[in-house]
Amino acid sequence: MAQTGSLTVTGTGVVSGIAYAPVRRVQPRPQLPTGGTIDEGEQQAEIDHFAEAIVAVQNNLLERAEHATGNAAQVLRATAELTADRGLSRSVRKLIKQNETAEWAVVQAVDNLVTQFERLGGLYAERTTDLKDIRDRVVAELRGEPTPGVPEPTEPIVLVAEDLAPADTAGLDPELTVALVTEAGGKTSHTAIIARQLGIPCIVGTGKAIRRIKNDTTVLVDGAAGTVVANPDPDKAAAAVAESADYLNRVRSWRGPGRTSDGYGVELLANVGSGEAAAKAAAGQSEGVGLFRTELCFLSAPVEPGIDDQAAIYRSVLEPYAGRGGHTHVVIRTLDAGSDKPLAFANLETEENPALGVRGLRLATDNPDLLAHQLDAIAVARKGLDIDVWVMAPMVATVPEAREFAGACRDRGLWPGVMVEVPAVALNADRVLAEVEFFSIGTNDLTQYTMASDRLSPHLAALNDPWQPAVLRLIQMAAQAGLRANKPVGVCGEAAADPLLACVLAGLGVTSLSMAAPALPAVGVRLGDVTIEQCRQAACGALAAPDAVSAKARAAAILGG
């Protein structure tokens, strides 16, 4: 039954835009068993039944991946791979051999893994949603029930859920699913990333308050304000939708390059994870690639890929941008992997706090060949291509680290840079930048390290916000060091995709902004509506604010919107 009367629920807006449609919730998850036993003679049949269910669920996910692209396809394949995890299957079979039913064994095995992943934090904690999704899909398959997940609408809906697994959000039709709202999640969650790719409004972290809005209730979703209004005034809702439609038409018709209304240039680049994504971004409005995440080539590999195999992948990212002339460049990030993104062939030990452990460049300390081979492969990939190739290292913290990495790059004719994720680099920006040719600021990690707040925790979303003045201050330090040294300083974290924050970043002195390709036009439109002096004034206002909410409000008052 639809909700009656007006009601407003607030969350964290992660993708701007207006949507007006009835609420639909995900298909109910199966009622999980709390026990169940079998006779010893039934063990093998139950094991076989479980094996068949795993194959069916994995095939379903892989089939959906074949019809998806970009991030959606990647997360579906990653979920399919996790479904077939040998450790999970071993745990289930062991429980079945203790006379547990397959359903009960699956629930226990997954719940044990969820507990372990939550303790590890970082990327592991993020995968708990995937694990629970796999659990529910396998249980449903064992029972012969319909696959749980998102509805298949025939008219526009606002999709509401407690949380959304990658398998839920991948493959959504943005013409029918016009907005996403979840109780959990943060600005860097899978839901937010997929929503940006789809270009639809998205609000996360509403908490249980969203449950007060019943199914079929018509709501107005404002992704910028982070509000969901049940049963809004129809005329006001129609006006808001019309205004949003006009804005979206401007976004769709925007053509680069990125610059303010008075002609101040800000490079707008794409974040990509594959050659396919690079080709799609190059066909759009991106001026180059500001972040190629190379770890996607490694995470599922049982052994280190050879130099030729790596080079082929890197070349597939470089080729779409080759021959453009000017200063077109592709920034390749070396492995951002470690204990929270384990490599099967690196043999890392489990760490108490993986987010602060051996990850990124630190992985090369005990495994220098891993970095050397990657740089060799990048050097091979760029041969014969008319394009600038920049290479940056993640998780750099000291001047000697930057110097050593830069030397290894220059030995191979590569243009070296480092990521500003560790506050120590921003605080020591002039000395670190003296060793390399550019900075790229990873606002996701820089924010969590500055605010001591896990970026995956919905409970800390208010702290884990790039609008925090302390984070903006560190960005300013890095950007101003770039201006003094006449070296580029970009932002490749999710903050770059926020159109209002993008203007503030330009005002702080950032020279390029890199984001998911679908977010580029909205940022380009926003920059084109203001002068660089307005951006600088907004940056000053945000820096002087006491908190993130006030910083955003002060910037909006100056820039409008």
Side-chain angles (χ1 to χ4, degrees), residues 527-551:
L527 284 169
D529 285 341
V530 298
T531 66
I532 187 58
E533 183 56 34
Q534 286 177 296
C535 292
R536 289 167 180 156
Q537 290 174 9
C540 289
L543 286 169
D547 54 40
V549 173
S550 301

Side-chain angles (χ1 to χ4, degrees), residues 230-250:
N231 297 314
D233 178 274
D235 292 336
K236 291 181 179 179
V241 170
E243 184 179 350
S244 178
D246 289 341
Y247 169 73
L248 288 175
N249 286 333
R250 288 185 63 205

Side-chain angles (χ1 to χ4, degrees), residues 1-11 19-21 23 25 160 181 203 206-215 217-222 226-233:
M1 182 179 295
Q3 182 84 24
T4 59
S6 182
L7 173 67
T8 300
V9 174
T10 302
Y20 182 53
V23 164
R25 296 181 181 275
V160 176
V181 181
I203 298 173
T206 65
K208 295 182 180 179
I210 195 64
R211 298 183 187 181
R212 297 166 61 193
I213 300 179
K214 307 301 181 184
N215 230 26
T217 302
T218 302
V219 296
L220 182 69
V221 176
D222 187 333
T227 56
V228 183
V229 180
N231 297 314
D233 178 274

Side-chain angles (χ1 to χ4, degrees), residues 86-151:
R86 293 181 180 178
L88 175 60
S89 293
R90 281 197 300 270
S91 297
V92 172
R93 290 196 298 269
K94 181 178 179 180
L95 289 165
I96 292 175
K97 289 180 179 179
Q98 295 172 8
N99 296 329
E100 309 280 10
T101 64
E103 290 178 26
W104 179 225
V106 167
V107 171
Q108 292 179 87
V110 170
D111 287 354
N112 286 338
L113 268 181
V114 166
T115 299
Q116 294 175 35
F117 279 26
E118 287 175 342
R119 287 174 181 166
L120 288 170
L123 183 65
Y124 280 115
E126 186 176 349
R127 300 308 296 275
T128 58
T129 298
D130 306 23
L131 284 167
K132 293 174 184 177
D133 178 56
I134 291 167
R135 175 197 64 197
D136 295 346
R137 288 171 182 271
V138 173
V139 169
E141 182 67 30
L142 287 167
R143 292 177 180 169
E145 296 177 355
T147 300
V150 301

